[in-house]
Amino acid sequence: MTTEDPTAQIVRSADRKHWWDGAIDSWQSFPATGNFDLASAAHGLLLVHNEDTVAPGEGFDRHHHRNMEIVTWVLDGTLRHEDSVGNTGVLRPGVIQRMSAGSGVLHSERNATGYTSRRPLRVVQMWVPPSTPDTEPSYEERDVSDALAGGDLIVVASGLPRDADRTAVTLGNRDAALHVARPAAGQSITVPDAPFVHVFLARGDATMDGVELRQGDAVRLTGGGSPRITTTSPGEILIWEMHSAAA
């Protein structure tokens, strides 16, 4: 990249916006609950990046979305999805899900285990806008566990033309891609070079160019560059590569 003055903003886990209602404990990299101007706090194209812990049997009842690419990644537990156009799914760790709300869709998301299971759901949900509004709503999911087994950075959701033959699910934004890695302790990965990048350490500890990162920390990169992340314990890393910003 040739963008000038690359910068890195560290967002510590405890500094995220926090929302809790007794059943859902939400840590939000960008203020989402009650925010009707998501673009004002976005980084690149990333409007929402919530890490939610959902109690057994609880979740989000049926609600409406329009013109949003919603990407869901389960860290622990299972999530049950149902929507108004007939899609259903039970997501587990290693399964990437993309729902394109398009012209409008209703959906619900719940911890798939019952109240007596005592098994919480820990899930990351991420939103980016579509490149083309008001398309037909669509849904896609795919298990990428085998691809992640080697610890390398894998493209799991992308709308970039270069990823057409390798992305697990297709994203309705031609300027964005989500990468995931599950590196072993001591393993290094290279962050993609893009004008806007969001790095989230979902599990473990790591260093990035000498900066220590703990579980739940995020890094917002602007202006390009390809820093290296080295884990100091087994990790799970989610990286958004973005080549434009939300309007």
Side-chain angles (χ1 to χ4, degrees):
M1 307 303 301
T2 58
T3 307
E4 296 180 357
D5 301 325
T7 62
Q9 178 188 359
I10 310 296
V11 180
R12 297 298 180 186
S13 176
D15 294 334
R16 294 174 293 174
K17 191 79 170 177
H18 185 222
W19 177 81
W20 180 72
D21 73 348
I24 301 169
D25 191 16
S26 181
W27 290 91
Q28 303 175 355
S29 294
F30 313 100
T33 303
N35 182 4
F36 297 97
D37 184 14
L38 296 174
S40 65
H43 177 65
L45 292 163
L46 192 56
L47 305 176
V48 168
H49 191 287
N50 293 353
E51 180 189 354
D52 297 333
T53 300
V54 184
E58 299 289 351
F60 297 95
D61 293 329
R62 182 167 281 209
H63 54 284
H64 183 262
H65 291 288
R66 182 176 178 180
N67 288 331
M68 197 64 66
E69 298 292 298
I70 299 174
V71 180
T72 303
W73 182 254
V74 172
L75 297 170
D76 300 295
T78 54
L79 179 150
R80 181 178 301 280
H81 164 96
E82 296 180 356
D83 65 42
S84 57
V85 291
N87 298 303
T88 62
V90 176
L91 307 183
R92 296 175 172 82
V95 176
I96 186 70
Q97 180 207 65
R98 183 269 303 155
M99 184 182 77
S100 297
S103 58
V105 67
L106 295 166
H107 82 142
S108 63
E109 303 156 291
R110 306 191 68 83
N111 186 330
T113 61
Y115 290 104
T116 61
S117 72
R118 300 184 180 180
R119 294 185 58 191
L121 162 70
R122 181 170 165 242
V123 59
V124 180
Q125 189 166 95
M126 301 151 281
W127 299 7
V128 298
S131 294
T132 303
D134 293 328
T135 58
E136 190 76 16
S138 63
Y139 176 93
E140 192 176 8
E141 66 177 62
R142 186 173 174 185
D143 192 331
V144 294
S145 300
D146 290 346
L148 292 171
D152 297 326
L153 200 61
I154 303 299
V155 180
V156 298
S158 179
L160 297 173
R162 78 149 194 233
D163 294 331
D165 295 331
R166 65 169 181 160
T167 185
V169 300
T170 301
L171 194 64
N173 188 303
R174 56 181 168 267
D175 293 322
L178 173 63
H179 308 249
V180 177
R182 290 176 174 169
Q187 189 171 353
S188 295
I189 62 172
T190 300
V191 175
D193 187 3
F196 301 95
V197 173
H198 185 273
V199 178
F200 178 65
L201 187 59
R203 202 185 313 272
D205 301 314
T207 60
M208 190 180 78
D209 286 355
V211 177
E212 292 188 357
L213 301 175
R214 305 296 184 194
Q215 180 172 304
D217 290 349
V219 185
R220 301 177 189 177
L221 299 168
T222 305
S226 297
R228 297 274 285 174
I229 300 175
T230 302
T231 53
T232 52
S233 63
E236 189 159 355
I237 303 170
L238 282 62
I239 302 179
W240 278 93
E241 171 192 355
M242 298 166 286
H243 294 270
S244 65

